Structure formats: structure tokens, C-alpha cells
């Protein structure tokens, strides 16, 4: 017998990471006298989708011979990256532990806004423990501007209790992870629910035994489990590396930075720079000073850069379209000498501050000059109307790249700002940016840089896809994510992804279709208008081997439903043979069931099972 515990949320303090204690779950497993398992065997690698597992898995023994399996996921983004696996684990949990740090309101809101809705949908009389970890550093919120954000204030007891009431959960405050709070307080509550779970499982097991033992005579046939469906593994994202490679390949360059006294000329792309900085938005007239309304950003733009309107300029590469790149004078010579490193930092996501500082130190010997350049970079990345949040680079080092914060490339999706190419689809136009298309799609990179008509054209017709599908395709290229409206839209997007050879988007669409079909109850499968065989044939035609294999297994597993539909006859001989071989329930079971019913009817006895 086993107990499955799922732990969600981050109990660490984001502002005091140097003195960060061990995790709540690991500390409990290491200290509880009821749990056995040495340190080397406690932590196991969980099965995940790509490079990082969705959950960290712990295994131990509790109460002597009870297997204890704990899945811990402190980061929402990792949880959300494979939500199909995450949802299944939550659905099979015997106990759910939600944890956050009282001094990190971000961790509380991540639990409240992200984890809680998922748990509410999957919750089925499973006990939930909410653990508020840490001692509040500042009980009364400060009124100064630096402490008015949600991340800078403590999570009150009232907020935690209110969250527990919404879930019907048990609320605990653990001021520290010592023996008292872990062993007696948290451990006592957790072990109580563990005992309740064991009692419930034992009771259900006894009921099954009683049912089996109460029937004497011929037993009904045992229905075997259907074959396991093929597992689809998602492809790792290469979004950041695509944009970083764009800087080195020097394709679609539309801006050049230089200083009269510095020999080095630095090429870049307006769209990428504007995606992370309002300074560049102001410089390239994407936004006006009135829209930005931040004097420090306006001052930084004026002090650092000036646009050169001269037509002749040596050293700048010419684009195939014939439009020369915009020339920008960098007024600070030291800043210009480090600009190649700064741009590499920005194209990588603008979060690897320590690497940037190390690269600048290699070029500038004076520490004051290094600090001055770093401060200018922070000013460039500043968000309008907010105090510079990048003052502590080491704290910011652990966070995600700026593509997921502030302004992003989605701001420019289907907008004419900085657009240098226009797609014509179904009589309408969709503006886009060559730099992003070239960086994210190899087919478009070849199209725009080869000896093709599209390389010199601004207006490019697109055939074979709808405008909605193509916009969803562009949304993926710009943001690395997409959300199809349904199975039909996902298949259209998969076809578009196959046409442009974007394999990761194909996998995303495959996973979406599979998840949607798996979540449908049998009654909905029987009544839906979607032609599953047509879906199978499209998947095969567009080289979606994983999806086509899965759909064949899905038809076989739901044989009694799909065999009654007219499109079932459209299966090829090979497909029909596969479905008949793997069908569920099998022909043998149906024959045995018919014989059993006949026996029951002939003996005129009452069947306790059927």
C-alpha cells in the first residue's frame, strides 16, 4: 500500500536567498521518526518532458511498510510546461500540500492565482494543507515608494486563512523549519491525514474482497485493461537561442551603432531592441515621449544616442531589399566599446548580469567605468513609471529573461510598427518583421535570404491557410506559445507548422489535440461531429507520425464507439487490421461475457456483479 503526496508552491524567501533553509518537504522526510530512508535514496529523478522534470520525486517508507511517494513542484512555469502530467499527478494525490513564504508575496500570489484554480478543478475530497513558512520581517507595511509593491510586503495571516477557507484546507503557520514546527506541528497534521488515507484505502480493499467472496459459482469474465497509449514527449524550447543566434548571423540588420572615435561598428535589429527597452522605442519613434511619460527614460535616450541622417556610411552591411540600416551615434565612447557585449546580453534575454559585468571588466580596467556602463544598461532596461528594479543584479540573476516581462515581442504582433514585410492572406494584409521570422523559422530564413522573389518583395502572398491560422502561427514565432481555439484550429495550425517546418509547434498542436480528445467522456465522443478518421488521415499526410499512431490507439481503445460511426469504414486495410488487433474490449472478452450472461439466464440466478 502506498500514499501519494503532491507539494506545490515555493516556501523559499526570494529576498534572503543566501540564508535560505532546506525545503519543507525534504526537511520533514529527513527528520520524521515515522519515515525511513537514507539521504542517498531519498531524492529520485522524476520523469519529465524535456531537460527539466515537472516534479522532484521523493520516495520513502512510512509506518514501517507503507510506501510514501512525494512529488514536489516549487516553480509554476515548470508545472505549467507539462500540464497534462501535472493534472494527472494532482488527480491521483491522496494529500496536497500548498506552501509559500510569508515574506514573499509573489510566491503567495503564484499559489493563489495559478495553483489554486488547477486544484479546485481536480479536487475530489482530498485533504489539503496550506503551510505559511517563515517569520514576518515587516508586520506593518511600509509607506515608502520602495515597499508599496506586492512583492515587498508580507502575506498576512488573514490572507492565508481566507485562502484555506476557499479550499476547505487546513492552515498552518511554520515560523521556522525546526524540529517543533516540522516534526510536531506540520508532521502531526500530515501524519493524521496519512492515517486517514490508509484507513480509507484499507476499507475500500476490504469491500472489494467481500464482494468477490460473496459470489459462489461461475465467475464473470475479467475485463483486461486497455493498452497504454503512446507517450508524446514535447520538444525543448529554443526561443532564446533563436534570438541570440540572430545577433551573430547578421541577417535582416536594420540599425547600426557606432562612435566616431571607436572603430567597431555594431549591427542590431530594431524589433528585438524595442521588445526589451522603452529607450529604443523612443529612439526609433515606436512610442512618443508623451506615451512613455518618464523623464529618466527620455533623458537616457538623449544622453546616449543620436540618429545620423547622412546617406553615406562606410562599414554598414546593405540589406537585400536595398534599404540601408539606420545609423545611430553612441555618444559615450566607453559604452560604445562595450556595446557588442551589451547587445549579446540583451539578445540572450537580459538577465545574465554577472556574465555581462565580467565581459565589461575584460574591456575596461577602471572599476568606476565598469559601474558607469552597467548603470547605463540598467537605465536602458528600466520600466516607465517604476523605480529601477534592476539595482541588485545578483537577485535578478535567478529570474526569467525579460522576454517574459515588461514589453515583449507580442506587442508588435500584427502591427505596422517597424514592420518590413506584409503578408497577403484571403484579401487582407498582416504586417510582420523579417528579423523575427528569419530567427524563428528556417524556411522563412531561406526564403528571405535566398534567390527568391520574396527576398526583394515587401508584399508576400500566402496560400493554403486562413488568416486566423497564420496569425496563430506568427504568434508562436513571436511569443513561443499558442492557444488553439479547438481541435480543428489545432489541426490547421499543425498543417501550417508542417508547411514551414516548425517542428516544435507541430508537437504543441499534437499534444493539444491529444489532451482535448482524452478529456472527452464517452458520451461526448459518441455524439461529436468531429471525423476522427479524417483527423488520422490528415496527420499521416502531413507527417505527424506521433499523432497518427496515437489516434490509431485511441480508435482501438474506444472501438465500441467509433466502430458504429460511418467514417470507420474509411480506414485502410492496414489501419483496420491494427484497430481490430488492439481493440478494447477484445472479441474474446465479449464472447466470454455473452456465455456468462447465457449461463446466468439459464440458471435463473441473480448476478451480483452484472
Amino acid at each position: 500500500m502506498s500514499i501519494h503526496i503532491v507539494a506545490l508552491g515555493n516556501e523559499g524567501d526570494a529576498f534572503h536567498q543566501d540564508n535560505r533553509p532546506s525545503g519543507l518537504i525534504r526537511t520533514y522526510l529527513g527528520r520524521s521518526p515515522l519515515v525511513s530512508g537514507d539521504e542517498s535514496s531519498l531524492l529520485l529523478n522524476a520523469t519529465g518532458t524535456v531537460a527539466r522534470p515537472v516534479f522532484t520525486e521523493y520516495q520513502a517508507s512510512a509506518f514501517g511498510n507503507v510506501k510514501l511517494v512525494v512529488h514536489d513542484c516549487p516553480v509554476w512555469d515548470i508545472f505549467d510546461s507539462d500540464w497534462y502530467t501535472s493534472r494527472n499527478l494532482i488527480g491521483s494525490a491522496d494529500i496536497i500540500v500548498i506552501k509559500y513564504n510569508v515574506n514573499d508575496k509573489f510566491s503567495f500570489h503564484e499559489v493563489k492565482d495559478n495553483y489554486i484554480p488547477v486544484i479546485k478543478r481536480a479536487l475530489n475530497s482530498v485533504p489539503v494543507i496550506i503551510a505559511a513558512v517563515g517569520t514576518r520581517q515587516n508586520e506593518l507595511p511600509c509607506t515608502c515608494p520602495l515597499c508599496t509593491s506586492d512583492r515587498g510586503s508580507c502575506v498576512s495571516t488573514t490572507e492565508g486563512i481566507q485562502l484555506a477557507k476557499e479550499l476547505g484546507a487546513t492552515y498552518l503557520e511554520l515560523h521556522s523549519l525546526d524540529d517543533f514546527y516540522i516534526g510536531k506541528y506540520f508532521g502531526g497534521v500530515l501524519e493524521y491525514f496519512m492515517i486517514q488515507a490508509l484507513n480509507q484505502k484499507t476499507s475500500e480493499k476490504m469491500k472489494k474482497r467481500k464482494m468477490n467472496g460473496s459470489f459462489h459459482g461461475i465467475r464473470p469474465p475479467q475485463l483486461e485493461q486497455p493498452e497504454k497509449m503512446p507517450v508524446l514527449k514535447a520538444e525543448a524550447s529554443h526561443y532564446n537561442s533563436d534570438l541570440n543566434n540572430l545577433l551573430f548571423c547578421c541577417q535582416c540588420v536594420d540599425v547600426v551603432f557606432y562612435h566616431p572615435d571607436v572603430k567597431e561598428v555594431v549591427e542590431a535589429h530594431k524589433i528585438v531592441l524595442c521588445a526589451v527597452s522603452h529607450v529604443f522605442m523612443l529612439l526609433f519613434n515606436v512610442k512618443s515621449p508623451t506615451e512613455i511619460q518618464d523623464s529618466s527614460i527620455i533623458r537616457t535616450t538623449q544622453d546616449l544616442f543620436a540618429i545620423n541622417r547622412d546617406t553615406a556610411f562606410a562599414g554598414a552591411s546593405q540589406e537585400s531589399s536595398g534599404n540601408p540600416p539606420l545609423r545611430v551615434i553612441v555618444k559615450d565612447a566607453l559604452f560604445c566599446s562595450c556595446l557588442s557585449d551589451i547587445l549579446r546580453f540583451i539578445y540572450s534575454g537580459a538577465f545574465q548580469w554577472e556574465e555581462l559585468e565580467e565581459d565589461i571588466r575584460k574591456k575596461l580596467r577602471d572599476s568606476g567605468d565598469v559601474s558607469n556602463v552597467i548603470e547605463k544598461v540598467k537605465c536602458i532596461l528600466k520600466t516607465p513609471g517604476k523605480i529601477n528594479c534592476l539595482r541588485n543584479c545578483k537577485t535578478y540573476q535567478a529570474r526569467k529573461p525579460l522576454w517574459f516581462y515588461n514589453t515583449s515581442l507580442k506587442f508588435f504582433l500584427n502591427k505596422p510598427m517597424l514592420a518590413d514585410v506584409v503578408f497577403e492572406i484571403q484579401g487582407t494584409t498582416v504586417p510582420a518583421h523579417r528579423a523575427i521570422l528569419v530567427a524563428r523559422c528556417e524556411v522563412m530564413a531561406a526564403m528571405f535570404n535566398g534567390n527568391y522573389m520574396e527576398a526583394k518583395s515587401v508584399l508576400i502572398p500566402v496560400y493554403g491557410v486562413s488568416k486566423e491560422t497564420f496569425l496563430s502561427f506568427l504568434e508562436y514565432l513571436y511569443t513561443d506559445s499558442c492557444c488553439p481555439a479547438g481541435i480543428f484550429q489545432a489541426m490547421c495550425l499543425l498543417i501550417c507548422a508542417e508547411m514551414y517546418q516548425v517542428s516544435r509547434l507541430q508537437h504543441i498542436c499534437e499534444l493539444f489535440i491529444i489532451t482535448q480528445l482524452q478529456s472527452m467522456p464517452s458520451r461526448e465522443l459518441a455524439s461529436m461531429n468531429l471525423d476522427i478518421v479524417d483527423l488520422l488521415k490528415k496527420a499521416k499526410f502531413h507527417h505527424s507520425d506521433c499523432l497518427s499512431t496515437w489516434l490509431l490507439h485511441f480508435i482501438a481503445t474506444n472501438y465500441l464507439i467509433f466502430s458504429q460511426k460511418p467514417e470507420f469504414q474509411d480506414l485502410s486495410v492496414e489501419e483496420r487490421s491494427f484497430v481490430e488487433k488492439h481493440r478494447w474490449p477484445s472479441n474474446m472478452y465479449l464472447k466470454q461475457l455473452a456465455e456468462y450472461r447465457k449461463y446466468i439466464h439459464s440458471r435463473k440466478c441473480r448476478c451480483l456483479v452484472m
Side-chain angles (χ1 to χ4, degrees):
M1 193 171 293
S2 63
I3 298 176
H4 182 201
I5 301 174
V6 173
L8 305 171
N10 184 10
E11 69 276 26
D13 190 347
F15 297 97
H16 301 85
Q17 291 183 1
D18 296 338
N19 300 320
R20 185 175 178 177
S22 300
L24 172 63
I25 297 300
R26 185 165 187 131
T27 303
Y28 166 75
L29 294 176
R31 293 183 181 181
S32 176
L34 298 178
V35 178
S36 60
D38 55 30
E39 189 71 9
S40 61
S41 64
L42 193 61
L43 178 62
L44 301 175
N45 288 326
T47 57
T49 52
V50 201
R52 294 182 297 175
V54 176
F55 288 84
T56 301
E57 180 178 313
Y58 300 91
Q59 289 190 8
S61 297
F63 307 111
N65 60 349
V66 177
K67 183 179 179 181
L68 183 63
V69 180
V70 183
H71 288 93
D72 188 10
C73 181
V75 182
W76 165 254
D77 293 317
I78 300 178
F79 179 95
D80 193 48
S81 65
D82 187 2
W83 63 275
Y84 174 71
T85 301
S86 305
R87 187 186 64 177
N88 285 344
L89 283 173
I90 288 180
S92 62
D94 298 313
I95 303 170
I96 296 177
V97 178
I98 300 173
K99 45 198 173 64
Y100 62 87
N101 193 286
V102 296
N103 294 306
D104 185 8
K105 206 153 190 178
F106 177 84
S107 68
F108 175 78
H109 282 297
E110 187 172 68
V111 165
K112 182 178 180 181
D113 299 334
N114 297 331
Y115 288 113
I116 295 302
V118 176
I119 293 173
K120 282 183 178 179
R121 288 194 295 268
L123 202 59
N124 185 19
S125 67
V126 176
V128 179
I129 300 174
I130 296 180
V133 180
T135 304
R136 292 177 179 83
Q137 302 296 326
N138 184 17
E139 193 70 33
L140 294 175
C142 181
T143 59
C144 67
L146 294 177
C147 300
T148 55
S149 66
D150 288 341
R151 292 181 62 89
S153 57
C154 301
V155 182
S156 66
T157 302
T158 305
E159 290 175 293
I161 294 175
Q162 183 62 33
L163 186 64
K165 286 182 179 179
E166 293 179 12
L167 278 180
T170 302
Y171 175 75
L172 304 176
E173 284 199 354
L174 310 177
H175 298 304
S176 64
L177 301 183
D178 57 16
D179 290 333
F180 173 78
Y181 284 101
I182 292 296
K184 296 183 178 179
Y185 194 24
F186 173 77
V189 175
L190 182 62
E191 285 151 16
Y192 169 79
F193 287 126
M194 288 166 60
I195 293 173
Q196 294 295 318
L198 286 174
N199 290 338
Q200 184 178 355
K201 290 186 176 184
T202 303
S203 176
E204 292 173 355
K205 191 173 182 179
M206 292 299 294
K207 286 181 180 179
K208 290 182 179 179
R209 286 183 179 178
K210 189 175 181 180
M211 288 290 295
N212 293 334
S214 63
F215 182 77
H216 301 284
I218 186 170
R219 291 185 175 275
Q222 296 296 319
L223 179 61
E224 72 279 6
Q225 292 294 323
E227 292 187 12
K228 288 186 177 181
M229 304 294 284
V231 178
L232 270 71
K233 293 184 178 180
E235 183 179 334
S237 172
H238 37 79
Y239 184 69
N240 288 338
S241 61
D242 286 344
L243 295 176
N244 197 25
N245 292 336
L246 180 64
L247 180 65
F248 295 100
C249 71
C250 297
Q251 293 179 344
C252 303
V253 170
D254 56 4
V255 61
V256 174
F257 295 91
Y258 73 99
H259 186 278
D261 298 332
V262 179
K263 294 182 179 180
E264 185 179 11
V265 174
V266 183
E267 299 176 328
H269 308 83
K270 297 178 188 177
I271 178 68
V272 178
L273 300 179
C274 290
V276 295
S277 171
H278 282 79
V279 168
F280 291 113
M281 280 190 172
L282 187 61
L283 179 66
F284 301 135
N285 296 322
V286 174
K287 285 188 176 182
S288 64
T290 307
E291 292 175 298
I292 292 179
Q293 293 183 346
D294 192 312
S295 58
S296 62
I297 290 181
I298 298 172
R299 186 168 56 254
T300 300
T301 307
Q302 294 172 346
D303 293 345
L304 272 182
F305 304 108
I307 295 178
N308 185 352
R309 303 294 182 182
D310 294 341
T311 55
F313 181 74
S317 62
Q318 297 292 322
E319 287 297 289
S320 59
S321 60
N323 296 324
L326 181 69
R327 297 169 298 282
V328 177
I329 301 172
V330 182
K331 296 181 180 180
D332 188 329
L334 292 177
F335 186 85
C336 186
S337 64
C338 303
L339 191 56
S340 59
D341 298 314
I342 295 170
L343 289 182
R344 185 166 62 249
F345 163 76
I346 290 176
Y347 275 66
S348 299
F351 73 109
Q352 299 173 341
W353 288 95
E354 291 183 354
E355 294 182 14
L356 173 64
E357 190 171 349
E358 183 179 347
D359 292 337
I360 294 176
R361 287 186 186 279
K362 292 177 182 179
K363 292 187 176 181
L364 305 179
R365 297 180 180 179
D366 187 87
S367 59
D369 293 337
V370 174
S371 300
N372 186 33
V373 171
I374 290 291
E375 194 61 34
K376 284 183 170 63
V377 176
K378 295 177 186 177
C379 292
I380 288 175
L381 299 178
K382 181 180 181 293
T383 302
K386 293 185 179 180
I387 296 174
N388 200 336
C389 60
L390 309 179
R391 295 191 176 188
N392 190 346
C393 297
K394 291 184 179 179
T395 301
Y396 196 80
Q397 179 82 15
R399 302 180 189 172
K400 295 187 299 182
L402 272 186
W403 306 119
F404 300 94
Y405 291 102
N406 301 337
T407 54
S408 65
L409 288 174
K410 191 173 183 179
F411 177 78
F412 299 92
L413 178 63
N414 194 23
K415 292 182 181 178
M417 295 175 295
L418 303 178
D420 53 5
V421 63
V422 177
F423 293 100
E424 187 178 19
I425 311 167
Q426 295 180 334
T428 60
T429 57
V430 177
H433 306 81
R434 291 175 186 260
I436 303 303
L437 304 179
V438 166
R440 298 280 289 139
C441 177
E442 293 182 0
V443 171
M444 288 195 175
M447 182 174 71
F448 288 129
N449 295 288
N451 296 322
Y452 299 100
M453 177 186 68
E454 292 83 358
K456 298 181 180 180
S457 301
V458 175
L459 186 64
I460 299 175
V462 176
Y463 306 102
V465 295
S466 66
K467 180 183 177 182
E468 290 74 17
T469 301
F470 194 75
L471 279 175
S472 297
F473 174 71
L474 290 182
E475 181 182 4
Y476 170 78
L477 297 184
Y478 278 65
T479 67
D480 203 42
S481 64
C482 66
C483 186
I487 294 178
F488 177 77
Q489 176 68 17
M491 178 53 73
C492 293
L493 188 56
L494 183 148
I495 295 172
C496 183
E498 190 266 341
M499 182 168 63
Y500 287 100
Q501 297 296 298
V502 183
S503 59
R504 184 170 180 270
L505 179 57
Q506 281 185 269
H507 291 153
I508 291 175
C509 295
E510 289 174 345
L511 287 171
F512 179 88
I513 293 171
I514 288 171
T515 304
Q516 290 291 308
L517 290 174
Q518 279 189 327
S519 63
M520 289 184 182
S522 299
R523 183 176 298 177
E524 187 176 350
L525 284 175
S527 60
M528 72 175 182
N529 294 324
L530 182 67
D531 189 338
I532 199 75
V533 177
D534 181 61
L535 208 64
L536 169 65
K537 293 188 178 300
K538 285 182 179 178
K540 281 191 171 183
F541 183 79
H542 293 282
H543 308 98
S544 183
D545 298 331
C546 295
L547 179 60
S548 60
T549 302
W550 187 92
L551 286 173
L552 272 176
H553 279 272
F554 186 69
I555 294 172
T557 304
N558 298 274
Y559 182 87
L560 296 180
I561 295 175
F562 292 116
S563 61
Q564 304 300 317
K565 296 196 172 205
E567 60 265 21
F568 187 79
Q569 306 301 323
D570 297 335
L571 289 171
S572 65
V573 175
E574 182 182 354
E575 293 165 349
R576 187 72 171 267
S577 174
F578 179 91
V579 170
E580 293 290 346
K581 180 180 178 181
H582 298 85
R583 59 173 289 181
W584 185 87
S586 64
N587 267 325
M588 179 65 69
Y589 171 80
L590 294 178
K591 289 180 181 178
Q592 292 175 351
L593 182 61
E595 292 175 358
Y596 174 75
R597 284 176 171 170
K598 184 178 179 181
Y599 168 79
I600 293 297
H601 181 72
S602 64
R603 296 292 297 270
K604 296 182 180 180
C605 58
R606 182 170 177 265
C607 174
L608 297 178
V609 178
M610 301 304 294

